[in-house]
Amino acid sequence: MNKILVTGGAGFIGSNFVLDWLSLEKDDVINLDKLTYAGNLENLASLNGNPLHHFVRGDIGDAELLKTLFSEHQPRAIVNFAAESHVDRSIHGPAEFIQTNIVGTFTLLEAARAYWNGLDDEGKKNFRFLHVSTDEVYGSLAVTDPAFTESKQYEPNSPYSASKAASDHLVRAYHHTYGLPVLTTNCSNNYGPYHFPEKLIPLVIHNALSGKPLPIYGDGQQIRDWLYVKDHASAIRCVLEAGRVGETYNIGGWNEKPNLDVVHTLCSILDELSPRADAKSYKEQITYVTDRPGHDRRYAIDASKIHRELGWKPLETFETGIRKTVQWYLEHQDWVKNVTSGSYQNWVEKQY
Ligand code: NAD
Ligand code: TYD
């Protein structure tokens, strides 16, 4: 069994994970993705013709398809990225979040359990179901609170984080009840290449270069803990290889930043690498807009467990990662142009 099943591998983090995996590991990747607005095969264009990459368009909620994929490919592991992932969209329309994040994960767990039950003892022992989750399940912190550890009580506040919390609980229950060898990772905010420009960092880069306002929700003092996406990918590989079955690992880069600081940093790097025609700073485009309902004030990840147990630590600091990211967007304006047509325009009109 030298194949892994990756779900949501055409999205932001999933595609970065698949690209890294196939540059480093020998296992084939079966990449199952529904190709919603957030999934984009262009992210995987460099794998065209690579015999180790098998793309399948489909839904994690499709039990028949899952059964066929498991029996055809006999994967040794599943890495579940597939999800609806945007908090603002979950406020406008939570139904898809319930469907994919909860019902979809449940369907995937059921298919995995049936497949796992049919494996021999060795196959059963070595199989892993790795569920990729978020720090947002833990709720919001006050400025002086300690960072989230794995034992922090779940207190999700948005339909997105509540649906992810529900999926985490299902994954946990499948281990405790059925013995399925699961691992769960809860990561902080990611940034880097192939990030869909509905999220803060790529949206600000895209709007800045398009001469549009840079929207700051509320006072801009909400704090997020930022991790370069390739460091997330390396952490997942580490947990998959050596994580203790049934355990949760928090993943983060110890990079807490208020949103306004992030936007100022982006503007300064853009001022240097791609100055405005009028030589003024991109900061001129900053605009304060109505706050997000129920906006979580602060997230912060305590990543000491994964460091202590598995020796993982991030390679990038925020300063190195954010510069690489801006450079990537400047060099890939065609990618941005392609993903910001059609349904993206409808979203921007609804949201701002
Ligand atoms: P994304 O929205 O960019 O990508 C999600 C991918 O899943 C897309 O390719 C989409 O087509 C696919 N998908 C959606 N519904 C599907 C379904 N029913 N069946 C199959 N595929 C489906 O999301 P992302 O930012 O790459 O996040 C990936 C995972 O990581 C999510 O589970 C998210 O909760 C988690 N996470 C994200 C962050 C972050 O900062 N983006 C941080 C921590 C954890
Ligand atoms: P986002 O990238 O949507 O990630 P999340 O909500 O999962 O943390 O938002 C990051 C932070 O930036 C969050 O506090 C909301 C804020 N934000 C803005 O101020 N303006 C924007 O246009 C967006 C998309 C987000």
Side-chain angles (χ1 to χ4, degrees):
M1 291 198 288
N2 57 354
K3 294 181 180 176
I4 64 164
L5 173 65
V6 173
T7 72
F12 164 47
I13 306 174
S15 62
N16 276 287
F17 175 83
V18 169
L19 291 170
D20 280 10
W21 181 274
L22 289 173
S23 69
L24 297 163
E25 309 278 342
K26 292 190 182 65
D27 306 68
D28 288 28
V29 171
I30 316 304
N31 187 348
L32 172 66
D33 196 295
K34 189 177 170 184
L35 295 182
T36 66
Y37 77 95
N40 188 350
L41 283 178
E42 263 188 72
N43 303 7
L44 303 161
S46 63
L47 298 177
N48 286 344
N50 185 329
L52 301 185
H53 182 237
H54 313 268
F55 184 79
V56 180
R57 184 173 192 182
D59 194 322
I60 58 164
D62 182 342
E64 277 308 306
L65 172 64
L66 293 174
K67 196 173 164 192
T68 309
L69 287 178
F70 280 119
S71 83
E72 199 177 312
H73 295 288
Q74 304 277 309
R76 71 169 178 91
I78 300 172
V79 185
N80 182 31
F81 291 98
E84 289 293 333
S85 70
H86 187 32
V87 175
D88 294 322
R89 284 186 192 254
S90 82
I91 294 167
H92 287 281
E96 279 297 309
F97 289 72
I98 305 305
Q99 199 53 43
T100 285
N101 300 2
I102 306 179
V103 182
T105 303
F106 161 71
T107 311
L108 187 63
L109 282 163
E110 275 292 87
R113 179 166 77 94
Y115 164 69
W116 179 73
N117 274 329
L119 296 176
D120 61 19
D121 285 352
E122 192 64 8
K124 270 200 172 110
K125 196 174 88 191
N126 293 331
F127 183 77
R128 295 289 182 272
F129 183 112
L130 191 153
H131 179 62
V132 179
S133 193
T134 164
D135 59 359
E136 304 195 21
V137 297
Y138 296 124
S140 183
L141 294 169
V143 177
T144 50
D145 286 341
F148 302 130
T149 62
E150 289 79 358
S151 57
K152 164 77 176 66
Q153 185 182 323
Y154 272 34
E155 289 176 308
N157 292 319
S158 71
Y160 163 64
S161 54
S163 67
K164 290 297 290 186
S167 67
D168 295 6
H169 291 325
L170 283 169
V171 170
R172 177 190 159 90
Y174 271 62
H175 176 61
H176 281 265
T177 305
Y178 305 114
L180 191 71
V182 306
L183 297 155
T184 299
T185 55
N186 293 87
C187 189
S188 59
N189 283 59
N190 285 213
Y191 66 97
Y194 304 116
H195 203 182
F196 194 79
E198 64 185 354
K199 307 273 172 75
L200 180 71
I201 288 179
L203 182 115
V204 163
I205 299 171
H206 173 59
N207 280 15
L209 295 171
S210 315
K212 293 183 184 149
L214 313 181
I216 306 282
Y217 297 167
D219 63 2
Q221 292 307 314
Q222 303 82 6
I223 293 170
R224 297 292 180 266
D225 191 351
W226 295 96
L227 182 70
Y228 191 61
V229 63
K230 287 179 186 301
D231 282 325
H232 190 185
S234 77
I236 291 173
R237 286 199 306 276
C238 210
V239 173
L240 192 59
E241 192 187 314
R244 285 188 292 132
V245 165
E247 290 289 314
T248 291
Y249 292 90
N250 280 355
I251 304 172
W254 307 98
N255 273 314
E256 286 184 57
K257 308 269 175 208
N259 292 339
L260 198 57
D261 287 15
V262 171
V263 175
H264 280 164
T265 302
L266 290 169
C267 289
S268 302
I269 299 174
L270 283 168
D271 288 342
E272 179 194 330
L273 299 182
S274 183
R276 275 176 33 156
D278 63 5
K280 288 186 179 160
S281 172
Y282 286 102
K283 287 178 191 144
E284 303 261 328
Q285 289 163 234
I286 288 174
T287 316
Y288 290 86
V289 300
T290 312
D291 206 354
R292 170 188 282 173
H295 198 171
D296 284 340
R297 199 68 185 161
R298 173 177 168 238
Y299 304 138
I301 276 279
D302 180 335
S304 15
K305 178 176 171 183
I306 187 172
H307 179 58
R308 191 176 61 246
E309 286 192 13
L310 308 180
W312 174 86
K313 59 178 189 335
L315 290 179
E316 302 291 343
T317 63
F318 186 72
E319 288 64 33
T320 59
I322 200 72
R323 184 167 277 272
K324 279 188 183 175
T325 303
V326 174
Q327 263 157 348
W328 187 89
Y329 278 90
L330 288 170
E331 285 160 14
H332 292 82
Q333 305 234 20
D334 282 352
W335 180 90
V336 178
K337 208 159 126 199
N338 290 343
V339 300
T340 50
S341 56
S343 66
Y344 177 82
Q345 296 303 343
N346 301 337
W347 164 252
V348 169
E349 272 157 38
K350 199 197 258 183
Q351 171 68 3
Y352 297 100

